[in-house]
Amino acid sequence: MIIKKLLKPILLALCISVVAYALFTMQGGRGPIDYFDHLDDTAVSIDTEEVTFEDLAFYILFEERKVEEQAKIYNKDYTKDYWNLHTNDTFIQSEAKSVVMGMAIHDHLFYQLAVEEGLDELTPAEEIELEGSITDFWEDMLDIQWNYLPCDEATINNQIRIAAVAEKYGNYLAKEHGPSAAAYKYDGYYYSQILEKHNVETNKKLWDKLVLGDITIKHSKINYINGLTDEDKKKSKK
């Protein structure tokens, strides 16, 4: 009898835990998402085009490599320190994440516009330049990134082609309307004016849970004092 009385609250608590976990899972949880589990999901829609998380592969590989190289200069032993730095009212990680989305939206929008105006074909000279860009991209990749490629190389090469066509379209706009090609980059003022005329919706439910800096590179070492290298720690013990 006593055992039965004890079992009732335990079983009730267990049922509540199971239901709570199920609801938590259904809602997607509160923790960061695994990028590789959402490759087919829409990351952002631009007018009628849906850009998937897989479509962001090139930009993620590029930005994570670039920031990680800067991080090695800041602290070669604990590169995560640099990603966690707070500067210009934001964290390096958050800023890099915004760059990824910003570049992807820019390139896919300009690619759409280039196709509409029949400007999506590259000249033989531009094809050679594209091949050089593709070669440089793969040569600059960090060794660890080869273990975490989101998709095959051909898919990523096509994403680089989209970026090349977008750049060509930006140069065309600069030539036709001025003032410079820089004004039509993803962070350019003239581009921002064009962007305002289009409907862009980010999948915030998933995008907000994506942690850049831990997708194609990994940080296993923890540092308790930001910026302190192993050598600094040895010196402090003397």
Side-chain angles (χ1 to χ4, degrees), residues 48-103:
T48 59
E49 181 190 7
E50 292 188 350
V51 180
T52 67
F53 279 89
E54 182 180 69
D55 294 327
L56 304 181
F58 159 61
Y59 305 96
I60 290 173
L61 284 161
F62 176 85
E63 194 65 15
E64 286 199 329
R65 189 265 303 166
K66 187 182 76 174
V67 177
E68 186 68 5
E69 287 180 339
Q70 296 168 349
K72 288 177 181 177
I73 297 173
Y74 177 76
N75 189 336
K76 66 181 188 299
D77 297 318
Y78 301 92
T79 54
K80 187 66 173 178
D81 285 7
Y82 184 77
W83 286 90
N84 291 335
L85 273 183
H86 192 266
T87 178
N88 297 325
D89 298 323
T90 187
F91 289 98
I92 295 292
Q93 184 270 336
S94 298
E95 185 177 353
K97 186 177 173 181
S98 296
V99 169
V100 166
M101 182 59 79
M103 290 193 300

Side-chain angles (χ1 to χ4, degrees), residues 152-165:
D152 59 75
E153 293 181 37
T155 299
I156 294 172
N157 289 344
N158 188 57
Q159 293 170 6
I160 300 175
R161 174 178 289 275
I162 288 173
V165 172

Side-chain angles (χ1 to χ4, degrees), residues 37-51:
D37 290 339
H38 296 276
L39 295 178
D40 294 329
D41 291 326
T42 299
V44 59
S45 59
I46 307 166
D47 295 331
T48 59
E49 181 190 7
E50 292 188 350
V51 180

